[in-house]
Amino acid sequence: MTVSASTKARVFAMLKTRGAIRAVLSYNGGNDEGGVDDITLVLESVDEGGKNIEVDYPTQWNGGEELAELLEGPVDSKYGSWAGEFSAYGTLTWDVEAGTVVMDDYEQSGYDYNQERW
């Protein structure tokens, strides 16, 4: 599984348009059921303490469903229908500043850790 350069460029451009420097997705599932639980955007804007503001990503934003589908692509590609005798959970981080997509993945109830980076 991989994330193409054109998909990365498109997603990063869409995130920048929304003022985001990162998108962090959490997911879990197994035994025929699972998916992305939530999407958090880390904004370029900072709060009074100098920490980047984080917001839940509302897919109803202009183009929101398209962006959510692209953001979730690597999880969908890896697990599809979640069919099989396994469970998995983890995070998928799209980092605009670093230009990376990183999946931190725990399979079989947390015993097998794998990190993929594109």
Side-chain angles (χ1 to χ4, degrees):
M1 175 182 53
T2 185
V3 176
S4 72
S6 62
T7 298
K8 282 172 62 173
R10 186 170 176 203
V11 169
F12 291 155
M14 294 173 87
L15 290 171
K16 285 180 187 179
T17 298
R18 289 160 175 78
I21 58 172
R22 262 186 318 281
V24 181
L25 292 75
S26 62
Y27 62 89
N28 77 75
N31 299 314
D32 301 333
E33 191 173 308
V36 172
D37 297 319
D38 58 66
I39 301 172
T40 301
L41 296 185
V42 179
L43 303 181
E44 194 170 19
S45 305
V46 295
D47 63 17
E48 294 171 357
K51 184 178 185 249
N52 291 91
I53 296 170
E54 297 182 4
V55 296
D56 291 334
Y57 179 68
T59 57
Q60 68 270 19
W61 282 0
N62 184 25
E65 291 177 4
E66 177 187 8
L67 177 56
E69 187 175 306
L70 289 168
L71 289 169
E72 295 175 8
V75 175
D76 293 342
S77 176
K78 184 166 186 172
Y79 292 110
S81 67
W82 292 86
E85 298 289 324
F86 71 93
S87 63
Y89 65 93
T91 59
L92 176 66
T93 304
W94 294 78
D95 191 323
V96 176
E97 293 178 324
T100 59
V101 182
V102 177
M103 179 182 273
D104 287 302
D105 190 59
Y106 299 86
E107 288 190 22
Q108 301 298 335
S109 301
Y111 296 113
D112 297 326
Y113 170 74
N114 185 38
Q115 183 182 75
E116 295 181 63
R117 182 179 296 264
W118 304 283

